[in-house]
Amino acid sequence: MNHFKAIIAVTVTAGLMWGLWSIYKDFLTQGQKPPESTQILNEISKNGVPDFELNDIKGKTIKLSDFKNKIVIVNFWASWCDPCVEEFPSLLKLLNDFKGEIVLLAISADHSEEDMNNFLEAFNAERPYLYVMWDKEQE
């Protein structure tokens, strides 16, 4: 009989928690949908990253799905960004240390192609598994 009471108590508690969560969620969103960015992150958490394609600066079409079974780092950077300048050598070292296991999709938000190219040249960045894209419109 005690097991039966415990099952009822757990069921009632779970029901109350679900009801309180629903009220709390409505309170957080004030009865509205969460922001679009939150919805996108929730969808990615649930279903994984959707496939996408971009053209690199050499004109090659790069698809995320081309890199199944690899670790893919998507890095947004710019030559004028101090933290980006600091982290870029570490990203290149990862590519060197894990040859072929890691892919870096480096998306530049530089204002000019010249700035982007000077940055890449300064770091001698040309290497396999590094794909550089330039987001001219910063979209």
Side-chain angles (χ1 to χ4, degrees):
M1 194 62 151
N2 285 337
H3 294 319
F4 182 69
K5 288 179 184 177
I7 291 171
I8 290 174
V10 168
T11 304
V12 169
T13 303
L16 286 173
M17 293 301 288
W18 179 254
L20 289 173
W21 169 247
S22 296
I23 293 167
Y24 182 64
K25 193 168 76 173
D26 283 344
F27 168 76
L28 288 176
T29 61
Q30 297 177 354
Q32 299 176 13
K33 285 185 175 179
E36 184 180 358
S37 57
T38 301
Q39 292 177 48
I40 291 169
L41 288 174
N42 288 342
E43 188 67 27
I44 288 171
S45 293
K46 191 186 320 178
N47 300 318
V49 178
D51 197 20
F52 62 86
E53 65 180 52
L54 299 166
N55 290 325
D56 71 5
I57 59 174
K58 296 177 181 178
K60 181 178 179 184
T61 300
I62 307 298
K63 288 183 174 181
L64 181 62
S65 59
D66 293 340
F67 306 113
K68 288 190 187 282
N69 301 319
K70 302 232 184 271
I71 297 168
V72 178
I73 299 171
V74 180
N75 179 253
F76 296 90
W77 63 278
S79 61
W80 44 262
C81 164
D82 289 339
C84 301
V85 173
E86 289 180 34
E87 79 179 350
F88 204 71
S90 299
L91 293 170
L92 296 177
K93 184 173 179 353
L94 276 173
L95 290 177
N96 292 339
D97 291 350
F98 294 93
K99 292 179 177 29
E101 295 176 46
I102 294 178
V103 173
L104 176 58
L105 304 181
I107 303 171
S108 172
D110 272 303
H111 301 293
S112 76
E113 189 172 9
E114 181 181 10
D115 289 343
M116 176 185 64
N117 288 333
N118 287 340
F119 178 92
L120 295 169
E121 189 176 311
F123 285 104
N124 191 26
E126 181 76 28
R127 55 189 29 98
Y129 303 105
L130 169 63
Y131 302 91
V132 179
M133 293 81 175
W134 181 31
D135 183 10
K136 297 180 226 185
E137 310 304 320
Q138 298 181 351
E139 296 177 336

